[in-house]
Amino acid sequence: MENITFDQLPQAMRLLHEKMDRLELLLSENQSPQDKDSIFNVTQAAAFLHLSVSSLYVKVCKREVPFNKRGKRLYFYKAELDEWVRKGRKKTLAEIQEEAGQQLLGVKRKA
């Protein structure tokens, strides 16, 4: 990576913006709308989440996982399952310590 001078900054930003546009285009081409709207049955959803079918039923009964029910059948949207998994992310110890440090700095500044 080369060093960029202040005078070269506008051109570097333009190139960066063009590369980001190309990346967005590539990502949107690779992700078909059909993937977002995929509907899973219980067996498919359990396989997608790497759970047993019985474990998935337990999560459904406790309303821990998003689902749709039509009659006696359960259906799961792939996008909703993806979002559910993402929301379950736990912070690392380093992230918690960083947040605590930021909070302490904020308290000290107010005092």
Side-chain angles (χ1 to χ4, degrees):
M1 182 169 194
E2 64 183 87
N3 290 332
I4 299 172
T5 66
F6 183 77
D7 294 332
Q8 296 170 327
L9 192 57
Q11 181 182 3
M13 289 300 294
R14 183 180 52 78
L15 290 171
L16 182 61
H17 193 305
E18 288 173 2
K19 287 182 179 184
M20 291 294 292
D21 286 342
R22 284 190 298 240
L23 278 172
E24 285 178 343
L25 181 62
L26 284 171
L27 287 172
S28 66
E29 288 173 355
N30 287 336
Q31 188 177 25
S32 68
Q34 186 180 21
D35 286 347
K36 292 180 182 177
D37 295 335
S38 294
I39 298 175
F40 294 151
N41 62 28
V42 174
T43 307
Q44 293 167 326
F48 177 74
L49 296 172
H50 303 288
L51 296 171
S52 68
V53 172
S54 60
S55 293
L56 182 57
Y57 274 121
V58 169
K59 291 189 178 302
V60 166
C61 287
K62 292 181 179 180
R63 296 191 180 267
E64 293 177 0
V65 64
F67 67 94
N68 297 283
K69 188 171 183 181
R70 234 14 189 173
K72 293 183 178 183
R73 296 189 182 264
L74 295 174
Y75 299 97
F76 304 85
Y77 283 100
K78 180 183 184 295
E80 289 178 347
L81 294 177
D82 281 334
E83 184 63 25
W84 177 73
V85 170
R86 281 189 192 93
K87 285 184 178 179
R89 182 183 181 276
K90 303 297 181 200
K91 294 180 182 177
T92 65
L93 184 58
E95 290 171 332
I96 294 170
Q97 289 173 340
E98 174 68 24
E99 284 182 6
Q102 294 297 326
Q103 290 288 334
L104 288 174
L105 288 175
V107 170
K108 287 180 181 178
R109 288 182 185 159
K110 290 179 183 178

